[in-house]
Amino acid sequence: MTIEIQKLGEAAGAEVLGLDMFQPWDAKTRGIVYQAFLDNLVLVFRDQVLTPPEFMAFSRNFGGLQPHVAKNYRHPEAEDIVMMTNVDKQGKFDEVGANRGVGWHSDLSYDQVPANGTLLHAVELPDRGGDTWFCNMYQAYETMPAALKRRITGKMALFRYGGRNGQSTEHLRPEDKAKPDVIHPVVRLHPETGRPAVYVNPYHTVRIIGMTRAESDALLDEVFTWCDQAVFQWHHAWRLGDTIIWENRSSVHSGKLDYPLDQRRIFMRATVRGTNTLAEARLPAVEPDLAA
């Protein structure tokens, strides 16, 4: 069967049709799917239920996998899989687990080598709600007012798990909470497409280097307010058997607690290892200030 890419949203999202997820990829298949990943930021694969080994094998088509820092949620038989779950080992509601991933962020941006992509596979779903939202940070940067672009382009920022307020770190072990901050550019040039995108995010960015905390907070809040526009966003409504992969280099994402919290919501998750952002030395050109 021929592989087809069906666009789902203007800002992001496309469904891959005609792909057997249980079969290895040849060069042609990888070329089609990976280009669609770069072009659409989020890819959706429907109606194919995967076991943990099958999910890992499929995820590795996109690159080497990277274990998540949340060791308490790792799959017991697969280190490269972390469970996104709202229930604990006793089957009771897990408030910490339910809140993981709620708030705009880019996965592993608190790591010196952040993730290229993240995959989720739906295992159990509530009967309504619980969509995952995505924001196109290429578009946010491209349409940003020139004055704001100039204020952030070329700047560097500190990142840590939990960001400015240390939010949602309860599930981390002490040694993981103590990991040092890392540095990434505020505006990142994608290493494959060459396009600039806003890279800071509300969940994991601490502050912009070279500014006071107050100055940095004010500028970050201005950037986040600009990026949080519906025109840049698209959301995925889950069905059992769905697998999705999203770009972490050019988008941010967030879950929502808008589903019945007495119902189970469980996913397998894998992250695709990325590259060191500090090695991406080029800077995007910024349009001149015509009013000057």
Side-chain angles (χ1 to χ4, degrees), residues 50 52 55 73-75 81-87 97-98 100 118-126 129-132 236-244 246 255-256 259 264-270:
L50 305 175
F55 177 59
Y73 288 91
R74 286 183 183 173
H75 193 284
I81 294 178
V82 65
M83 301 305 294
M84 302 296 292
T85 175
N86 68 345
V87 293
R100 289 170 58 221
T118 300
L119 296 100
L120 278 186
H121 179 70
V123 178
E124 295 187 53
L125 295 173
D131 295 355
T132 302
H236 175 64
W238 288 95
R239 298 191 328 218
L240 282 178
D242 280 359
T243 301
I244 69 173
W246 63 79
K256 290 183 181 292
Y259 60 90
R264 295 161 66 94
R265 185 176 186 271
I266 301 175
F267 297 84
M268 291 188 292
R269 167 178 151 168

Side-chain angles (χ1 to χ4, degrees), residues 58-76:
F58 177 75
S59 299
R60 289 190 178 115
N61 287 308
F62 292 91
L65 303 185
Q66 186 170 0
H68 194 272
V69 69
K71 297 182 178 69
N72 293 340
Y73 288 91
R74 286 183 183 173
H75 193 284

